[in-house]
Amino acid sequence: PGFENLTMGYNKYLRPYFGGEPVQIAMSLDIASISSISESDMDYTATIYLRQRWTDPRLVFHGNKSFTLDARLVELLWVPDTYIVESKRSFLHDVTVGNRLIRLFSNGTILYALRITTTVACNMDLSKYPMDTQTCRLQLESWGYDENDVIFTWLRGNDSVHGIEKLRLSQYTVERYYTLVSKSQQETGSYPRLILQFELRRNVLYFILETYVPSTLLVMLSWVSFWITLDSVPARTCIGVTTVLSMTTLMIGSRSSLSKTNCFIKAIDVYLGICFSFIFGALVEYAVAHYSSSQKSNEFTKEMEEVNITNILNSSIASYKRKISFTSIEISSDNVNCSDLTMKTHEKIKCVLRNKMHRIIGYFTIQNPSNVDHYSKLLFPLFFMLVNVFYWAYYLYF
């Protein structure tokens, strides 16, 4: 048919069935690609083929054929004002010409297809990163025509969407997808909306090899110091400081890729914090063991000096008596009888507090510093294994 004859008297500013029943618009989608999914910007970029079908009785012609028209003739027809909800940036491809398709059927049905690249917002919950599953949406809605003028439907339900099951993404795997028909209640009315919802599961293998395995090996490296003697100060200090600095570098590197989402406490941050705590604990363990060992050696030196002094004083009876009296006074000073009636009240309080402090310090005094390394060889790996069991069970199954 002559297109000029069909459009004679045709008003593109009025929808089909104007003033009567609403126009039913059936849609289908082909997902060509999802090029990027950004956690920092909370969005994804996709290229889609959007196909819309509706019937316009003003374009009915005789016959049972269909005609593909030049895409530039769309300027002469009424088309739906469909837009992508939550789209940040979108553009229609125009190489070599505008990627649009107009096909006209004899019963007045119009097929209108577009090739669009759009960046759509996707709110993400990164608390379980990198073991997370994100749910994103692609929503299509009428901008100006409410449900009294336009009705949106999927052409074939879930089968209206193609290509998404064949996508190969760098970090994600498409778990499932489904279509929904909804309405958007606005101040100006109720508008029809179609929703494509899909779930993306992150591939955790990359993060295991890049972050989890190195951090675990650093923790195990810090345990090597337990098998080195306490006298090897440079070796044990070097291992402790090196592992702490390496762990700090690893933590900074893991955050650099998500610099804009540091407000989230992610699963990988929790694990790196656990590893850093164990590494720092191994360094503190050596400090405690070495300090206790030095205290014991100082006490032994003092005892040897006292023995030498005693031997010298034993040369005379008078000096021996002086030593005995000095020792008795020293011993009595450690165990002062605070119930002495001649003591004043504030002196009694000081005496009681002094005795309690000596008793508390005695409880925390390590009698054998070598046992600290012996127990650490067992307790550090045991606690680290238990923490890993709870960590992976929580983030994978809860």
Side-chain angles (χ1 to χ4, degrees):
F3 188 74
E4 293 80 3
N5 296 332
L6 282 176
T7 56
M8 187 178 298
Y10 183 91
N11 190 346
K12 67 176 182 177
Y13 301 108
L14 300 179
R15 67 171 180 85
Y17 310 106
F18 181 76
E21 61 182 6
V23 183
Q24 291 194 0
I25 302 176
M27 297 192 186
S28 62
L29 281 175
D30 275 3
I31 308 297
S33 65
I34 297 180
S35 57
S36 65
I37 301 174
S38 174
E39 292 85 3
S40 57
D41 295 330
M42 296 284 184
D43 58 29
Y44 67 93
T45 301
T47 299
I48 63 174
Y49 297 94
L50 174 62
R51 300 183 179 93
Q52 305 176 81
R53 298 172 185 264
W54 69 94
T55 299
D56 192 339
R58 295 172 294 181
L59 298 177
V60 175
F61 61 90
H62 296 287
N64 55 2
K65 294 183 179 181
S66 62
F67 298 94
T68 299
L69 307 177
D70 190 292
R72 286 168 289 189
L73 293 177
V74 71
E75 303 295 338
L76 303 177
L77 301 176
W78 178 90
V79 293
D81 57 349
T82 307
Y83 78 102
I84 300 174
V85 184
E86 297 180 344
S87 175
K88 296 181 178 181
R89 297 173 298 275
S90 298
F91 65 90
L92 181 68
H93 290 260
D94 54 2
V95 178
T96 57
V97 293
N99 293 176
R100 296 183 293 182
L101 168 68
I102 288 287
R103 184 167 294 166
L104 181 62
F105 296 86
S106 59
N107 61 352
T109 299
I110 300 173
L111 169 62
Y112 182 41
L114 302 168
R115 184 184 175 213
I116 305 171
T117 294
T118 179
T119 300
V120 185
C122 177
N123 295 325
M124 300 181 184
D125 181 9
L126 298 175
S127 59
K128 291 189 175 182
Y129 176 92
M131 292 168 284
D132 54 331
T133 299
Q134 304 298 339
T135 300
C136 295
R137 291 183 172 187
L138 179 64
Q139 304 180 86
L140 303 171
E141 185 179 317
S142 175
W143 175 256
Y145 293 103
D146 59 17
E147 61 183 354
N148 296 321
D149 296 317
V150 168
I151 296 177
F152 282 180
T153 60
W154 289 107
L155 185 63
R156 291 179 294 271
N158 278 357
D159 294 334
S160 303
V161 179
H162 299 283
I164 192 169
E165 67 280 355
K166 300 178 181 179
L167 294 178
R168 295 295 179 267
L169 306 178
S170 59
Q171 289 191 24
Y172 291 91
T173 300
V174 180
E175 288 281 281
R176 63 193 185 99
Y177 66 93
Y178 48 91
T179 57
L180 299 172
V181 178
S182 180
K183 295 179 182 179
S184 174
Q185 193 66 39
Q186 306 289 342
E187 185 178 355
T188 54
S190 179
Y191 297 90
R193 176 180 292 186
L194 298 182
I195 302 173
L196 167 64
Q197 188 161 303
F198 52 95
E199 294 182 1
L200 301 172
R201 179 174 54 84
R202 195 184 303 274
N203 301 323
V204 72
L205 181 60
Y206 168 78
F207 297 93
I208 289 177
L209 297 177
E210 185 188 35
T211 304
Y212 284 95
V213 171
S215 58
T216 304
L217 293 178
L218 284 175
V219 174
M220 297 174 66
L221 178 61
S222 67
W223 299 340
V224 175
S225 63
F226 301 150
W227 275 265
I228 302 176
T229 59
L230 293 174
D231 298 333
S232 303
V233 178
R236 296 194 64 164
T237 305
C238 180
I239 290 177
V241 174
T242 302
T243 51
V244 168
L245 294 178
S246 300
M247 195 68 214
T248 304
T249 304
L250 194 62
M251 294 174 69
I252 295 174
S254 67
R255 283 178 167 269
S256 61
S257 60
L258 297 174
S259 58
K260 297 182 182 179
T261 58
N262 286 339
C263 55
F264 288 91
I265 300 178
K266 302 176 285 295
I268 194 170
D269 295 333
V270 174
Y271 190 82
L272 292 176
I274 291 171
C275 293
F276 184 84
S277 300
F278 274 90
I279 292 173
F280 187 77
L283 182 60
V284 172
E285 181 271 345
Y286 172 65
V288 172
H290 182 70
Y291 177 77
S292 302
S293 177
S294 61
Q295 290 294 104
K296 287 296 178 180
S297 63
N298 290 337
E299 290 178 3
F300 179 75
T301 304
K302 289 180 180 180
E303 290 178 359
M304 293 299 295
E305 290 178 354
E306 289 179 0
V307 170
N308 294 332
I309 294 172
T310 303
N311 291 334
I312 295 172
L313 293 177
N314 281 338
S315 60
S316 62
I317 297 174
S319 59
Y320 177 75
K321 290 180 178 180
R322 286 197 300 271
K323 179 60 182 176
I324 294 296
S325 63
F326 177 75
T327 306
S328 63
I329 291 172
E330 194 174 51
I331 293 173
S332 63
S333 65
D334 291 336
N335 300 290
V336 178
N337 187 4
C338 298
S339 61
D340 191 356
L341 297 176
T342 62
M343 297 179 65
K344 295 181 180 181
T345 305
H346 67 278
E347 291 178 350
K348 289 182 179 181
I349 294 175
K350 290 181 179 179
C351 179
V352 172
L353 292 176
R354 189 184 302 113
N355 289 341
K356 287 187 176 181
M357 287 297 296
H358 283 300
R359 193 177 295 111
I360 293 173
I361 293 173
Y363 288 149
F364 291 96
T365 301
I366 300 174
Q367 302 300 328
N368 190 358
S370 61
N371 286 339
V372 177
D373 281 344
H374 177 71
Y375 291 128
S376 298
K377 294 175 185 177
L378 301 176
L379 294 179
F380 270 75
L382 178 62
F383 280 123
F384 188 68
M385 290 176 62
L386 289 176
V387 170
N388 269 271
V389 169
F390 285 111
Y391 174 85
W392 291 103
Y394 174 78
Y395 282 106
L396 290 178
Y397 299 105
F398 293 100

